Amino acid sequence: MKFIALIIGLLVVGCGNSAEKKVIGEYELKEDGNTERVVLLDNGIMELYKNGKKDEVEPKWSISKEGEIHATDSEGDIFIFRINKDGSITIIARIGRDGEREDYPKNRQTTFKRIN
């Protein structure tokens, strides 16, 4: 019985890794003459660029059990991205240091299209 539980546990962990592998890459948003880019690296770091200039902030990202991308900044805030069927990602919410989730209204949600 312990052997079966171990196999099931390994399968669950493996599924998480494949979800992360699917989203690793570059995403871009062009709006109001600006270009913003989000790069999800395989080491769990998110790089952010605006008009080609890299931001100093490098949040750590992971896939949550709900299948969302959670990016945690150095101050402990978590920014939540939905993974869309077309491969793009949309920032939909934030969890503050107090643990409260704030879902963004549709007009504040921003979608980044996958470019690589």
Side-chain angles (χ1 to χ4, degrees):
M1 194 59 150
K2 288 181 182 178
F3 182 70
I4 293 172
L6 176 63
I7 290 173
I8 291 171
L10 290 172
L11 289 172
V12 169
V13 170
C15 291
N17 290 336
S18 68
E20 287 181 358
K21 287 180 183 178
K22 287 181 182 179
V23 297
I24 291 170
E26 297 181 34
Y27 301 83
E28 189 173 78
L29 167 70
K30 292 185 179 188
E31 187 175 68
D32 298 329
N34 292 306
T35 301
E36 295 186 38
R37 194 164 33 116
V38 172
V39 181
L40 300 178
L41 302 173
D42 61 358
N43 64 359
I45 299 293
M46 176 186 280
E47 294 180 344
L48 305 170
Y49 296 83
K50 185 167 187 174
N51 296 325
K53 185 176 180 191
K54 186 175 181 235
D55 195 317
E56 291 180 19
V57 176
E58 291 187 333
K60 294 183 179 178
W61 72 272
S62 62
I63 303 287
S64 71
K65 64 182 178 185
E66 293 83 15
E68 301 168 324
I69 297 170
H70 284 204
T72 306
D73 69 14
S74 59
E75 296 179 9
D77 291 322
I78 302 169
F79 296 89
I80 302 169
F81 293 79
R82 177 182 63 233
I83 304 166
N84 303 312
K85 291 179 182 178
D86 67 357
S88 64
I89 59 174
T90 301
I91 187 164
I92 60 167
R94 175 184 159 274
I95 299 173
R97 285 166 268 166
D98 59 4
E100 294 292 319
R101 180 176 171 139
E102 172 195 358
D103 290 316
Y104 296 153
K106 293 279 185 197
N107 66 345
R108 282 193 52 213
Q109 295 180 11
T110 306
T111 298
F112 293 79
K113 294 186 181 207
R114 187 176 189 117
I115 59 170
N116 185 3

